[in-house]
Amino acid sequence: FLQFVWSLVMLASMIPMVASSIYKQVALQVQLDPIFVNGWVSLFQFLCGLFLVVPAGYASSPKVTPMDLPQNWAHATECLFAQNDSITLGCHPDDCSQAALWVHLGLLSSV
């Protein structure tokens, strides 16, 4: 069931991306700086994402409460930059050995 729910979340996450593309196509027919437009779109997506952090945490398995978010972000930073497996037990153990590779490949593919 959760796999289906997360598939729907993934599909819903594409709505701002599509809206961004349509907005850029319409807006760039007028003289606008594309970097300026991308900056505003990025800010909008960031602000919308902040409001979705808490509901996404409650929908995850195991649930992540708002009080756990700073610790999870700290563990994620350790995983990305130090390749430190901070979670070795439980249902989703870390495998940080290739974290930087996959994050940077994802960033490069969206450029």
Side-chain angles (χ1 to χ4, degrees):
F1 174 74
L2 274 177
Q3 190 172 16
F4 177 72
V5 170
W6 282 114
S7 297
L8 292 177
V9 169
M10 182 67 157
L11 288 174
S13 73
M14 293 181 189
I15 293 171
M17 186 171 48
V18 171
S20 165
S21 296
I22 293 170
Y23 174 75
K24 287 178 199 173
Q25 287 177 355
V26 171
L28 292 178
Q29 290 176 356
V30 183
Q31 284 296 89
L32 285 176
D33 184 17
I35 295 173
F36 179 75
V37 173
N38 278 336
W40 275 108
V41 169
S42 297
L43 178 66
F44 174 75
Q45 289 175 344
F46 173 73
L47 293 176
C48 288
L50 283 178
F51 292 110
L52 296 174
V53 167
V54 173
Y58 282 122
S60 68
S61 174
K63 289 184 180 179
V64 179
T65 64
M67 298 304 290
D68 295 335
L69 288 175
Q71 181 184 10
N72 284 351
W73 282 332
H75 287 304
T77 303
E78 287 178 18
C79 181
L80 179 60
F81 294 112
Q83 276 80 35
N84 180 19
D85 292 339
S86 58
I87 301 172
T88 55
L89 303 173
C91 57
H92 303 292
D94 285 344
D95 181 16
C96 297
S97 61
Q98 296 181 342
L101 170 72
W102 292 113
V103 168
H104 290 97
L105 283 177
L107 288 172
L108 286 174
S109 69
S110 66
V111 172

